[in-house]
Amino acid sequence: MGRDTVLNAIPRQAPSVASRALEGEAVLVHPAQQKVTVLNAVGARLWELTDGERSVADLARMIADEYEVSLVKAQADALAFCHDLVRRGLLTLDS
């Protein structure tokens, strides 16, 4: 997928993943893989915003506003976040 295609994709949390917010971070548990992933504050916020309705571009705009970073930086971070979690089986991207 190209950058623009991914920005327009809708990330969805894998239904088998359990998550919990703890002290500004998020802990994700993927029972099938018997793995735990800990997300920092920005990752936790991205995970929280991933509702199956918003696109990656929407998430980036929200992060840019909330954390007062450039849209370019927020897009790069949102893309990296989604690619990493897709690779780990924690997210899917729907075109």
Side-chain angles (χ1 to χ4, degrees):
M1 275 189 196
R3 182 178 188 277
D4 289 339
T5 302
V6 176
L7 281 172
N8 292 320
I10 307 294
R12 297 184 193 283
Q13 298 174 1
S16 61
V17 175
S19 64
R20 177 156 325 254
L22 296 170
E23 299 178 17
E25 297 179 332
V27 177
L28 312 179
V29 179
H30 195 301
Q33 294 181 0
Q34 298 182 345
K35 292 190 177 179
V36 174
T37 301
V38 178
L39 303 176
N40 65 17
V42 176
R45 182 64 176 137
L46 282 165
W47 180 260
E48 178 184 2
L49 292 170
T50 302
D51 61 1
E53 300 290 324
R54 296 180 181 105
S55 69
V56 176
D58 294 334
L59 300 179
R61 278 191 294 278
M62 294 174 84
I63 291 298
D65 289 344
E66 290 179 24
Y67 289 87
E68 298 180 2
V69 298
S70 72
L71 182 56
V72 171
K73 170 81 170 120
Q75 286 175 337
D77 289 349
L79 288 167
F81 172 83
C82 289
H83 282 299
D84 184 45
L85 268 58
V86 165
R87 183 182 55 78
R88 295 173 188 238
L90 301 167
L91 279 181
T92 60
L93 290 175
D94 296 340
S95 313

